[in-house]
Amino acid sequence: MEASKPLMKHYSAKLKQATLLWLEGFREACCLHRVVILCYRSRELLIRTGQCFLLNGFIFLGSMFVLNRVVVPMLHWILPDQSSQFSSQIALSLGCILKFYSIIRHGLIQLFYVFWFYPLYVFSLILSNIWYNDIAKFGFAAMGRSGPSGVEPSSPSESITAKSTIHTKRLAGLGGVVVGIAEQVYSVLLLSFFFLEVFATGFVPYVGKVLNFLLLSWMYAYYCFEYKWNISEVALEKRLDFFESNWAFFAGFGSPCVLAIFLFSPLVSYGVMAILFPLFVLTATGSGAEQDISFQRRKWKGVGLGRLPIFYAADTLSLRVLSLLPLEHQDQIQDNKAH
């Protein structure tokens, strides 16, 4: 019993660290006053953020509201399917007509989705992604930052290799273009496979919802900070190491985002997410996450939680797909990851 006390104390300390980092990440995500400050500083940022609200809030979610609160009740009134609206004898004789009404009503609603909601969804998805990049860029400029900034090293070896990483990022000419393309290809594959992993966890019995919530929190947190890291020219391997080494903080940061959409239907969830996401991108842009985590490490005398291989499965699948590419492309991506 006495021998197990140090082990229990060790895990208790780790749990406390994880909880504090999770709360710190949650608090950082909820610092929405930064959005007001940054929009006040940048007119371009205010316009882009307003456009996101107009498209995804007023038009997309507004259309959903009109459909559910106006169009559907009106169709139910014009094409009823409840026999209680008629006398019993008439209801028996009109059974086939009522079923026909139901089919017509269902078909009209589906036409509304096919010719309005789905095209609007695709249009919003493309345009919003363009705007998110602009929002991060304008937010970064409003913060008064114009040059690259890195993340805190998660281990002593990171600081030793920092200069070689910066040198790799700034390769000039054709070599720099190839490195950039290779990194982008790998990043897209990695996040695509991670998204499939998130989707698959939703079907796991009993613990599927919890796993889905956790992975979604990490996914949205990574997306929010990715804009900042791209503008700061942080190398892909370095940002992945920082993210996985501080997994509790980023789980907390992504939680408010997921909480806001978790109980809605898919289309409504997208509309809500499309409104909230630029706000969380701006809180991430203005976040001092690196300094906060470094401060917590100093409090714990440099002892961290350890790296959690969040992207291990996605990384393995990505490298398997990249192995199908020509050899020189594989070498370029492997060299890029090595830096």
Short mmCIF file of all heavy atoms in Angstrom, two decimals, residues 167-222:
data_model
loop_
_atom_site.label_atom_id
_atom_site.label_comp_id
_atom_site.label_asym_id
_atom_site.label_seq_id
_atom_site.Cartn_x
_atom_site.Cartn_y
_atom_site.Cartn_z
N HIS A 167 15.73 27.93 -41.30
CA HIS A 167 16.45 27.90 -42.58
C HIS A 167 15.65 27.11 -43.61
O HIS A 167 15.55 27.50 -44.78
CB HIS A 167 17.82 27.27 -42.38
CG HIS A 167 18.57 27.08 -43.67
ND1 HIS A 167 19.11 28.13 -44.37
CD2 HIS A 167 18.84 25.95 -44.38
CE1 HIS A 167 19.70 27.68 -45.47
NE2 HIS A 167 19.55 26.36 -45.50
N THR A 168 15.06 26.00 -43.20
CA THR A 168 14.28 25.18 -44.13
C THR A 168 13.06 25.93 -44.60
O THR A 168 12.69 25.88 -45.78
CB THR A 168 13.85 23.88 -43.43
OG1 THR A 168 15.02 23.20 -42.97
CG2 THR A 168 13.06 22.99 -44.35
N LYS A 169 12.39 26.67 -43.68
CA LYS A 169 11.18 27.37 -44.05
C LYS A 169 11.46 28.47 -45.06
O LYS A 169 10.60 28.82 -45.87
CB LYS A 169 10.54 28.01 -42.81
CG LYS A 169 9.90 27.02 -41.86
CD LYS A 169 9.22 27.74 -40.71
CE LYS A 169 10.22 28.51 -39.89
NZ LYS A 169 9.60 29.24 -38.78
N ARG A 170 12.65 29.01 -45.00
CA ARG A 170 12.95 30.17 -45.83
C ARG A 170 13.78 29.83 -47.06
O ARG A 170 14.47 30.69 -47.60
CB ARG A 170 13.67 31.22 -44.98
CG ARG A 170 12.78 31.75 -43.85
CD ARG A 170 13.48 32.79 -43.03
NE ARG A 170 12.61 33.31 -41.99
CZ ARG A 170 12.98 34.22 -41.10
NH1 ARG A 170 14.21 34.71 -41.12
NH2 ARG A 170 12.15 34.65 -40.18
N LEU A 171 13.75 28.61 -47.45
CA LEU A 171 14.45 28.23 -48.67
C LEU A 171 13.93 29.08 -49.83
O LEU A 171 12.74 29.29 -49.98
CB LEU A 171 14.21 26.76 -48.98
CG LEU A 171 15.03 25.74 -48.15
CD1 LEU A 171 14.57 24.35 -48.48
CD2 LEU A 171 16.52 25.90 -48.41
N ALA A 172 14.82 29.56 -50.64
CA ALA A 172 14.43 30.45 -51.72
C ALA A 172 14.30 29.68 -53.02
O ALA A 172 14.78 28.56 -53.16
CB ALA A 172 15.48 31.56 -51.87
N GLY A 173 13.61 30.31 -53.95
CA GLY A 173 13.50 29.75 -55.29
C GLY A 173 12.64 28.51 -55.36
O GLY A 173 11.72 28.30 -54.58
N LEU A 174 12.96 27.66 -56.34
CA LEU A 174 12.17 26.46 -56.62
C LEU A 174 12.17 25.51 -55.44
O LEU A 174 11.14 24.87 -55.14
CB LEU A 174 12.73 25.76 -57.86
CG LEU A 174 11.95 24.52 -58.34
CD1 LEU A 174 10.52 24.89 -58.68
CD2 LEU A 174 12.65 23.90 -59.54
N GLY A 175 13.30 25.39 -54.72
CA GLY A 175 13.36 24.49 -53.57
C GLY A 175 12.36 24.87 -52.51
O GLY A 175 11.70 24.01 -51.92
N GLY A 176 12.20 26.17 -52.24
CA GLY A 176 11.24 26.63 -51.25
C GLY A 176 9.81 26.33 -51.68
O GLY A 176 8.97 25.97 -50.85
N VAL A 177 9.53 26.47 -52.97
CA VAL A 177 8.19 26.18 -53.49
C VAL A 177 7.86 24.70 -53.32
O VAL A 177 6.77 24.33 -52.89
CB VAL A 177 8.09 26.60 -54.98
CG1 VAL A 177 6.76 26.14 -55.56
CG2 VAL A 177 8.25 28.09 -55.12
N VAL A 178 8.83 23.84 -53.65
CA VAL A 178 8.61 22.40 -53.53
C VAL A 178 8.38 21.99 -52.08
O VAL A 178 7.50 21.20 -51.77
CB VAL A 178 9.82 21.63 -54.13
CG1 VAL A 178 9.68 20.13 -53.86
CG2 VAL A 178 9.92 21.89 -55.62
N VAL A 179 9.18 22.57 -51.16
CA VAL A 179 9.01 22.28 -49.74
C VAL A 179 7.62 22.72 -49.28
O VAL A 179 6.93 21.99 -48.56
CB VAL A 179 10.11 22.98 -48.91
CG1 VAL A 179 9.78 22.93 -47.42
CG2 VAL A 179 11.45 22.31 -49.15
N GLY A 180 7.19 23.90 -49.71
CA GLY A 180 5.88 24.41 -49.32
C GLY A 180 4.76 23.52 -49.83
O GLY A 180 3.80 23.22 -49.11
N ILE A 181 4.86 23.09 -51.10
CA ILE A 181 3.84 22.22 -51.68
C ILE A 181 3.80 20.88 -50.95
O ILE A 181 2.73 20.35 -50.63
CB ILE A 181 4.10 22.01 -53.19
CG1 ILE A 181 3.89 23.33 -53.95
CG2 ILE A 181 3.18 20.93 -53.75
CD1 ILE A 181 4.26 23.26 -55.40
N ALA A 182 4.99 20.31 -50.69
CA ALA A 182 5.07 19.03 -49.99
C ALA A 182 4.44 19.12 -48.61
O ALA A 182 3.69 18.23 -48.19
CB ALA A 182 6.53 18.58 -49.88
N GLU A 183 4.70 20.21 -47.91
CA GLU A 183 4.14 20.39 -46.57
C GLU A 183 2.63 20.54 -46.63
O GLU A 183 1.91 19.98 -45.79
CB GLU A 183 4.78 21.61 -45.92
CG GLU A 183 4.42 21.78 -44.46
CD GLU A 183 5.22 22.89 -43.80
OE1 GLU A 183 6.34 22.62 -43.33
OE2 GLU A 183 4.71 24.03 -43.77
N GLN A 184 2.14 21.28 -47.62
CA GLN A 184 0.70 21.46 -47.75
C GLN A 184 0.00 20.16 -48.09
O GLN A 184 -1.09 19.86 -47.57
CB GLN A 184 0.40 22.53 -48.81
CG GLN A 184 0.73 23.95 -48.39
CD GLN A 184 -0.04 24.39 -47.16
OE1 GLN A 184 -1.24 24.14 -47.06
NE2 GLN A 184 0.64 25.02 -46.24
N VAL A 185 0.59 19.37 -48.99
CA VAL A 185 0.00 18.07 -49.36
C VAL A 185 -0.10 17.16 -48.13
O VAL A 185 -1.13 16.55 -47.87
CB VAL A 185 0.84 17.39 -50.46
CG1 VAL A 185 0.39 15.94 -50.67
CG2 VAL A 185 0.70 18.16 -51.78
N TYR A 186 0.99 17.10 -47.39
CA TYR A 186 1.00 16.27 -46.18
C TYR A 186 -0.02 16.77 -45.16
O TYR A 186 -0.74 15.98 -44.54
CB TYR A 186 2.40 16.26 -45.57
CG TYR A 186 2.47 15.56 -44.24
CD1 TYR A 186 2.48 14.17 -44.17
CD2 TYR A 186 2.51 16.28 -43.06
CE1 TYR A 186 2.52 13.53 -42.95
CE2 TYR A 186 2.56 15.65 -41.83
CZ TYR A 186 2.57 14.27 -41.78
OH TYR A 186 2.61 13.64 -40.57
N SER A 187 -0.12 18.10 -44.98
CA SER A 187 -1.05 18.67 -44.02
C SER A 187 -2.49 18.37 -44.39
O SER A 187 -3.30 18.01 -43.53
CB SER A 187 -0.83 20.19 -43.92
OG SER A 187 -1.73 20.77 -43.01
N VAL A 188 -2.82 18.51 -45.68
CA VAL A 188 -4.19 18.23 -46.13
C VAL A 188 -4.54 16.76 -45.91
O VAL A 188 -5.64 16.43 -45.43
CB VAL A 188 -4.35 18.62 -47.62
CG1 VAL A 188 -5.65 18.08 -48.19
CG2 VAL A 188 -4.28 20.13 -47.78
N LEU A 189 -3.62 15.86 -46.27
CA LEU A 189 -3.86 14.44 -46.05
C LEU A 189 -4.02 14.13 -44.56
O LEU A 189 -4.92 13.38 -44.17
CB LEU A 189 -2.71 13.62 -46.63
CG LEU A 189 -2.67 13.45 -48.15
CD1 LEU A 189 -1.38 12.74 -48.56
CD2 LEU A 189 -3.88 12.67 -48.64
N LEU A 190 -3.16 14.69 -43.75
CA LEU A 190 -3.19 14.43 -42.31
C LEU A 190 -4.53 14.84 -41.71
O LEU A 190 -5.18 14.05 -41.00
CB LEU A 190 -2.06 15.18 -41.63
CG LEU A 190 -1.91 14.97 -40.12
CD1 LEU A 190 -1.23 13.63 -39.84
CD2 LEU A 190 -1.11 16.10 -39.49
N LEU A 191 -4.99 16.06 -42.02
CA LEU A 191 -6.23 16.55 -41.44
C LEU A 191 -7.45 15.86 -42.04
O LEU A 191 -8.46 15.69 -41.35
CB LEU A 191 -6.32 18.06 -41.65
CG LEU A 191 -5.26 18.88 -40.89
CD1 LEU A 191 -5.36 20.35 -41.25
CD2 LEU A 191 -5.41 18.69 -39.39
N SER A 192 -7.36 15.43 -43.30
CA SER A 192 -8.46 14.69 -43.91
C SER A 192 -8.64 13.33 -43.24
O SER A 192 -9.78 12.94 -42.91
CB SER A 192 -8.21 14.50 -45.41
OG SER A 192 -8.14 15.73 -46.08
N PHE A 193 -7.56 12.63 -43.01
CA PHE A 193 -7.65 11.34 -42.33
C PHE A 193 -8.08 11.52 -40.87
O PHE A 193 -8.79 10.68 -40.32
CB PHE A 193 -6.31 10.60 -42.40
CG PHE A 193 -6.05 9.96 -43.74
CD1 PHE A 193 -4.92 10.27 -44.48
CD2 PHE A 193 -6.95 9.04 -44.27
CE1 PHE A 193 -4.69 9.69 -45.72
CE2 PHE A 193 -6.72 8.45 -45.51
CZ PHE A 193 -5.59 8.77 -46.23
N PHE A 194 -7.64 12.59 -40.24
CA PHE A 194 -8.06 12.84 -38.87
C PHE A 194 -9.55 13.12 -38.82
O PHE A 194 -10.25 12.69 -37.88
CB PHE A 194 -7.28 14.02 -38.28
CG PHE A 194 -7.52 14.21 -36.81
CD1 PHE A 194 -6.94 13.35 -35.89
CD2 PHE A 194 -8.31 15.25 -36.34
CE1 PHE A 194 -7.16 13.51 -34.52
CE2 PHE A 194 -8.53 15.42 -34.99
CZ PHE A 194 -7.95 14.55 -34.08
N PHE A 195 -10.09 13.84 -39.83
CA PHE A 195 -11.53 14.09 -39.89
C PHE A 195 -12.30 12.78 -40.04
O PHE A 195 -13.35 12.59 -39.41
CB PHE A 195 -11.84 15.02 -41.07
CG PHE A 195 -13.32 15.27 -41.25
CD1 PHE A 195 -13.99 16.15 -40.43
CD2 PHE A 195 -14.02 14.59 -42.24
CE1 PHE A 195 -15.35 16.36 -40.59
CE2 PHE A 195 -15.38 14.80 -42.40
CZ PHE A 195 -16.05 15.70 -41.58
N LEU A 196 -11.80 11.86 -40.87
CA LEU A 196 -12.44 10.54 -41.00
C LEU A 196 -12.39 9.78 -39.68
O LEU A 196 -13.35 9.07 -39.32
CB LEU A 196 -11.74 9.73 -42.10
CG LEU A 196 -11.92 10.25 -43.54
CD1 LEU A 196 -11.10 9.39 -44.50
CD2 LEU A 196 -13.39 10.23 -43.94
N GLU A 197 -11.30 9.93 -38.96
CA GLU A 197 -11.18 9.30 -37.64
C GLU A 197 -12.22 9.87 -36.68
O GLU A 197 -12.85 9.12 -35.91
CB GLU A 197 -9.77 9.54 -37.10
CG GLU A 197 -9.44 8.83 -35.82
CD GLU A 197 -8.02 9.12 -35.36
OE1 GLU A 197 -7.19 9.57 -36.19
OE2 GLU A 197 -7.74 8.93 -34.17
N VAL A 198 -12.41 11.17 -36.71
CA VAL A 198 -13.42 11.82 -35.87
C VAL A 198 -14.81 11.31 -36.23
O VAL A 198 -15.62 10.99 -35.35
CB VAL A 198 -13.36 13.35 -36.03
CG1 VAL A 198 -14.52 14.03 -35.32
CG2 VAL A 198 -12.05 13.89 -35.50
N PHE A 199 -15.09 11.22 -37.53
CA PHE A 199 -16.39 10.74 -37.99
C PHE A 199 -16.64 9.30 -37.54
O PHE A 199 -17.74 8.95 -37.10
CB PHE A 199 -16.45 10.84 -39.52
CG PHE A 199 -17.73 10.35 -40.11
CD1 PHE A 199 -18.89 11.12 -40.04
CD2 PHE A 199 -17.79 9.12 -40.75
CE1 PHE A 199 -20.07 10.67 -40.59
CE2 PHE A 199 -18.97 8.66 -41.30
CZ PHE A 199 -20.12 9.44 -41.22
N ALA A 200 -15.60 8.46 -37.62
CA ALA A 200 -15.75 7.05 -37.28
C ALA A 200 -16.01 6.84 -35.79
O ALA A 200 -16.75 5.91 -35.40
CB ALA A 200 -14.51 6.27 -37.70
N THR A 201 -15.44 7.69 -34.94
CA THR A 201 -15.63 7.51 -33.49
C THR A 201 -17.09 7.70 -33.07
O THR A 201 -17.50 7.21 -32.02
CB THR A 201 -14.76 8.49 -32.69
OG1 THR A 201 -15.02 9.84 -33.12
CG2 THR A 201 -13.28 8.17 -32.88
N GLY A 202 -17.85 8.43 -33.88
CA GLY A 202 -19.26 8.63 -33.56
C GLY A 202 -20.07 7.35 -33.57
O GLY A 202 -21.16 7.30 -32.99
N PHE A 203 -19.57 6.29 -34.21
CA PHE A 203 -20.28 5.02 -34.29
C PHE A 203 -19.79 4.01 -33.25
O PHE A 203 -20.29 2.89 -33.21
CB PHE A 203 -20.11 4.42 -35.69
CG PHE A 203 -20.69 5.28 -36.78
CD1 PHE A 203 -19.87 6.14 -37.52
CD2 PHE A 203 -22.04 5.26 -37.06
CE1 PHE A 203 -20.39 6.93 -38.52
CE2 PHE A 203 -22.57 6.06 -38.07
CZ PHE A 203 -21.75 6.90 -38.80
N VAL A 204 -18.83 4.39 -32.42
CA VAL A 204 -18.32 3.49 -31.38
C VAL A 204 -19.35 3.41 -30.26
O VAL A 204 -19.78 4.45 -29.75
CB VAL A 204 -16.96 3.98 -30.83
CG1 VAL A 204 -16.48 3.07 -29.70
CG2 VAL A 204 -15.94 4.03 -31.95
N PRO A 205 -19.75 2.21 -29.85
CA PRO A 205 -20.76 2.09 -28.78
C PRO A 205 -20.25 2.63 -27.45
O PRO A 205 -19.05 2.57 -27.16
CB PRO A 205 -21.02 0.59 -28.69
CG PRO A 205 -20.38 -0.03 -29.88
CD PRO A 205 -19.33 0.90 -30.37
N TYR A 206 -21.17 3.16 -26.64
CA TYR A 206 -20.94 3.59 -25.27
C TYR A 206 -20.03 4.82 -25.17
O TYR A 206 -20.43 5.86 -24.65
CB TYR A 206 -20.37 2.45 -24.41
CG TYR A 206 -21.21 1.21 -24.43
CD1 TYR A 206 -20.74 0.03 -25.00
CD2 TYR A 206 -22.51 1.20 -23.88
CE1 TYR A 206 -21.53 -1.11 -25.04
CE2 TYR A 206 -23.30 0.06 -23.92
CZ TYR A 206 -22.80 -1.09 -24.49
OH TYR A 206 -23.58 -2.21 -24.53
N VAL A 207 -18.79 4.72 -25.62
CA VAL A 207 -17.84 5.83 -25.44
C VAL A 207 -17.68 6.66 -26.71
O VAL A 207 -16.86 7.59 -26.74
CB VAL A 207 -16.45 5.30 -25.01
CG1 VAL A 207 -16.53 4.63 -23.66
CG2 VAL A 207 -15.87 4.34 -26.04
N GLY A 208 -18.45 6.34 -27.73
CA GLY A 208 -18.30 7.03 -29.01
C GLY A 208 -18.55 8.52 -28.93
O GLY A 208 -17.79 9.32 -29.49
N LYS A 209 -19.59 8.94 -28.20
CA LYS A 209 -19.91 10.37 -28.09
C LYS A 209 -18.80 11.14 -27.39
O LYS A 209 -18.44 12.26 -27.78
CB LYS A 209 -21.23 10.55 -27.33
CG LYS A 209 -22.46 10.13 -28.12
CD LYS A 209 -22.73 11.09 -29.27
CE LYS A 209 -24.00 10.71 -30.01
NZ LYS A 209 -24.24 11.61 -31.16
N VAL A 210 -18.25 10.53 -26.33
CA VAL A 210 -17.18 11.20 -25.58
C VAL A 210 -15.93 11.34 -26.46
O VAL A 210 -15.30 12.41 -26.52
CB VAL A 210 -16.84 10.41 -24.29
CG1 VAL A 210 -15.67 11.06 -23.57
CG2 VAL A 210 -18.07 10.35 -23.39
N LEU A 211 -15.56 10.24 -27.14
CA LEU A 211 -14.40 10.28 -28.03
C LEU A 211 -14.61 11.29 -29.16
O LEU A 211 -13.70 12.04 -29.52
CB LEU A 211 -14.12 8.90 -28.61
CG LEU A 211 -13.49 7.86 -27.68
CD1 LEU A 211 -13.43 6.51 -28.38
CD2 LEU A 211 -12.10 8.30 -27.24
N ASN A 212 -15.82 11.30 -29.71
CA ASN A 212 -16.14 12.22 -30.79
C ASN A 212 -16.01 13.67 -30.33
O ASN A 212 -15.45 14.51 -31.05
CB ASN A 212 -17.55 11.94 -31.30
CG ASN A 212 -17.86 12.69 -32.58
OD1 ASN A 212 -18.59 13.66 -32.56
ND2 ASN A 212 -17.32 12.23 -33.69
N PHE A 213 -16.50 13.95 -29.13
CA PHE A 213 -16.41 15.30 -28.58
C PHE A 213 -14.95 15.71 -28.38
O PHE A 213 -14.55 16.83 -28.73
CB PHE A 213 -17.16 15.37 -27.25
CG PHE A 213 -17.18 16.75 -26.64
CD1 PHE A 213 -18.21 17.63 -26.94
CD2 PHE A 213 -16.18 17.16 -25.77
CE1 PHE A 213 -18.23 18.90 -26.39
CE2 PHE A 213 -16.19 18.43 -25.22
CZ PHE A 213 -17.22 19.30 -25.53
N LEU A 214 -14.15 14.80 -27.83
CA LEU A 214 -12.73 15.10 -27.57
C LEU A 214 -11.96 15.34 -28.86
O LEU A 214 -11.21 16.31 -28.99
CB LEU A 214 -12.11 13.95 -26.77
CG LEU A 214 -10.64 14.11 -26.38
CD1 LEU A 214 -10.45 15.33 -25.50
CD2 LEU A 214 -10.14 12.86 -25.66
N LEU A 215 -12.15 14.45 -29.84
CA LEU A 215 -11.43 14.60 -31.10
C LEU A 215 -11.88 15.84 -31.87
O LEU A 215 -11.08 16.52 -32.51
CB LEU A 215 -11.62 13.34 -31.96
CG LEU A 215 -10.96 12.07 -31.44
CD1 LEU A 215 -11.25 10.89 -32.35
CD2 LEU A 215 -9.45 12.24 -31.29
N LEU A 216 -13.19 16.14 -31.81
CA LEU A 216 -13.68 17.36 -32.44
C LEU A 216 -13.07 18.60 -31.78
O LEU A 216 -12.74 19.58 -32.46
CB LEU A 216 -15.21 17.42 -32.34
CG LEU A 216 -16.02 16.74 -33.44
CD1 LEU A 216 -17.50 16.77 -33.11
CD2 LEU A 216 -15.77 17.36 -34.81
N SER A 217 -12.93 18.56 -30.46
CA SER A 217 -12.32 19.69 -29.76
C SER A 217 -10.89 19.90 -30.24
O SER A 217 -10.47 21.05 -30.50
CB SER A 217 -12.32 19.43 -28.25
OG SER A 217 -13.64 19.30 -27.76
N TRP A 218 -10.13 18.83 -30.37
CA TRP A 218 -8.76 18.95 -30.87
C TRP A 218 -8.74 19.44 -32.31
O TRP A 218 -7.91 20.26 -32.69
CB TRP A 218 -8.05 17.61 -30.76
CG TRP A 218 -7.50 17.33 -29.40
CD1 TRP A 218 -6.98 18.24 -28.52
CD2 TRP A 218 -7.41 16.06 -28.75
NE1 TRP A 218 -6.58 17.61 -27.36
CE2 TRP A 218 -6.82 16.27 -27.48
CE3 TRP A 218 -7.76 14.76 -29.12
CZ2 TRP A 218 -6.58 15.23 -26.58
CZ3 TRP A 218 -7.53 13.73 -28.23
CH2 TRP A 218 -6.95 13.96 -26.97
N MET A 219 -9.67 18.91 -33.13
CA MET A 219 -9.68 19.28 -34.54
C MET A 219 -9.96 20.77 -34.72
O MET A 219 -9.24 21.48 -35.46
CB MET A 219 -10.72 18.46 -35.29
CG MET A 219 -10.70 18.67 -36.80
SD MET A 219 -11.92 17.66 -37.68
CE MET A 219 -13.42 18.55 -37.28
N TYR A 220 -10.98 21.29 -34.04
CA TYR A 220 -11.31 22.70 -34.18
C TYR A 220 -10.23 23.59 -33.57
O TYR A 220 -9.94 24.68 -34.10
CB TYR A 220 -12.67 23.00 -33.54
CG TYR A 220 -13.83 22.55 -34.39
CD1 TYR A 220 -14.79 21.68 -33.90
CD2 TYR A 220 -13.96 23.01 -35.70
CE1 TYR A 220 -15.85 21.26 -34.69
CE2 TYR A 220 -15.02 22.60 -36.50
CZ TYR A 220 -15.98 21.73 -35.99
OH TYR A 220 -17.02 21.31 -36.77
N ALA A 221 -9.63 23.14 -32.46
CA ALA A 221 -8.54 23.92 -31.87
C ALA A 221 -7.36 24.00 -32.84
O ALA A 221 -6.74 25.07 -33.00
CB ALA A 221 -8.11 23.28 -30.55
N TYR A 222 -7.04 22.88 -33.49
CA TYR A 222 -5.92 22.89 -34.44
C TYR A 222 -6.23 23.82 -35.61
O TYR A 222 -5.37 24.60 -36.04
CB TYR A 222 -5.64 21.48 -34.95
CG TYR A 222 -4.41 21.42 -35.83
CD1 TYR A 222 -3.15 21.23 -35.28
CD2 TYR A 222 -4.50 21.58 -37.21
CE1 TYR A 222 -2.02 21.20 -36.07
CE2 TYR A 222 -3.38 21.55 -38.02
CZ TYR A 222 -2.15 21.35 -37.45
OH TYR A 222 -1.03 21.34 -38.24
#
